[in-house]
Amino acid sequence: NAGVTQTPKFQVLKTGQSMTLQCAQDMNHEYMSWYRQDPGMGLRLIHYSVGAGITDQGEVPNGYNVSRSTTEDFPLRLLSAAPSQTSVYFCASSPSWTALNTEAFFGQGTRLTVV
Amino acid sequence: AQSVTQLDSHVSVSEGTPVLLRCNYSSSYSPSLFWYVQHPNKGLQLLLKYTSAATLVKGINGFEAEFKKSETSFHLTKPSAHMSDAAEYFCGTLYSSASKIIFGSGTRLSIRP
């Protein structure tokens, strides 16, 4: 039972490079989301999806793209990396946000450094 | 708009003494509230959640939190701290009208021997 799997765990990028952070869940969850974690800022929501084919912006979406072609996968794309995107990125999934008694399951995180 | 505020960025207690991590929420109706814990270099793990049932919620590892509507608070407590409790703790709320969960800025808990 893998839960939420993020790859890679660590990545160093040069400014201007692009890359995709992968997130996959095997729990058939409707809801998936991406957060970034920065010191003193807590967790900030980047993008989220309430189901396959549906995505929406969170608090800090600029510089990131997402798509949700399947229930299982929710990749996060950095189109042109900037040093301000140096952060730890977490993917989370949840059965549904329409029910009150739900919770988010988190991946182990991807530590990204942009130089 | 719903939000949560964690009042302390860092709390330090001695092993065996009580722990209090403070969280205030802002919501126009009864919220869903969560506490998550993050150990160093790990993902987040759910400690406990409030969903308008009992106001005193018991979680894992001896933690509990009390929902106080009059004070708009959802503080996390533990009677006796253990060295393994050293971690970062996040309070969160479900912003159900927008289908998203919002977290506070986190509280780092240190335990002194």
Side-chain angles (χ1 to χ4, degrees):
Chain A
N1 192 2
V4 179
T5 303
Q6 289 183 237
T7 55
K9 287 187 170 52
F10 302 95
Q11 183 70 48
V12 178
L13 284 180
K14 293 183 178 178
T15 297
Q17 285 185 318
S18 63
M19 80 159 294
T20 299
L21 308 186
Q22 301 291 345
C23 176
Q25 52 93 6
D26 61 359
M27 298 173 282
N28 200 31
H29 285 173
E30 289 182 17
Y31 183 91
M32 297 185 74
S33 55
W34 277 101
Y35 292 87
R36 60 176 289 173
Q37 182 180 23
D38 303 290
M41 306 290 287
L43 288 154
R44 293 181 292 171
L45 183 64
I46 304 171
H47 285 286
Y48 63 100
S49 168
V50 299
I54 306 169
T55 64
D56 207 345
Q57 297 181 348
E59 303 168 89
V60 288
N62 292 341
Y64 307 95
N65 276 359
V66 292
S67 60
R68 184 97 179 268
S69 55
T70 67
T71 299
E72 295 77 19
D73 300 300
F74 191 46
L76 178 72
R77 282 182 288 277
L78 283 70
L79 302 176
S80 178
S84 61
Q85 294 178 304
T86 294
S87 187
V88 181
Y89 292 84
F90 287 98
C91 179
S93 75
S94 177
S96 170
W97 289 116
T98 58
L100 286 180
N101 57 336
T102 187
E103 70 177 86
F105 294 81
F106 283 82
Q108 293 297 298
T110 295
R111 188 175 295 273
L112 176 67
T113 302
V114 183
V115 298
Chain B
Q2 291 164 261
S3 65
V4 289
T5 302
Q6 292 185 244
L7 300 173
D8 308 292
S9 60
H10 181 215
V11 170
S12 180
V13 302
S14 297
E15 190 174 20
T17 64
V19 174
L20 170 64
L21 305 184
R22 299 183 294 165
C23 174
N24 284 0
Y25 70 90
S26 169
S27 174
S28 57
Y29 49 89
S30 185
S32 291
L33 295 163
F34 309 83
W35 275 101
Y36 280 81
V37 60
Q38 183 186 29
H39 290 281
N41 300 313
K42 300 287 188 185
L44 279 75
Q45 179 186 17
L46 181 69
L47 270 180
L48 50 82
K49 58 185 177 184
Y50 167 76
T51 56
S52 73
T55 56
L56 183 62
V57 182
K58 294 189 183 299
I60 61 172
N61 301 333
F63 284 94
E64 61 183 36
E66 186 171 7
F67 174 73
K68 291 187 176 180
K69 188 174 181 178
S70 61
E71 299 176 10
T72 62
S73 69
F74 189 58
H75 300 336
L76 182 70
T77 60
K78 183 173 181 177
S80 177
H82 191 273
M83 294 301 292
S84 61
D85 295 327
E88 183 124 23
Y89 292 79
F90 292 94
C91 181
T93 185
L94 172 59
Y95 195 168
S96 58
S97 63
S99 302
K100 56 188 179 184
I101 186 169
I102 302 297
F103 288 96
S105 55
T107 299
R108 182 165 61 90
L109 176 63
S110 300
I111 312 295
R112 302 186 299 270

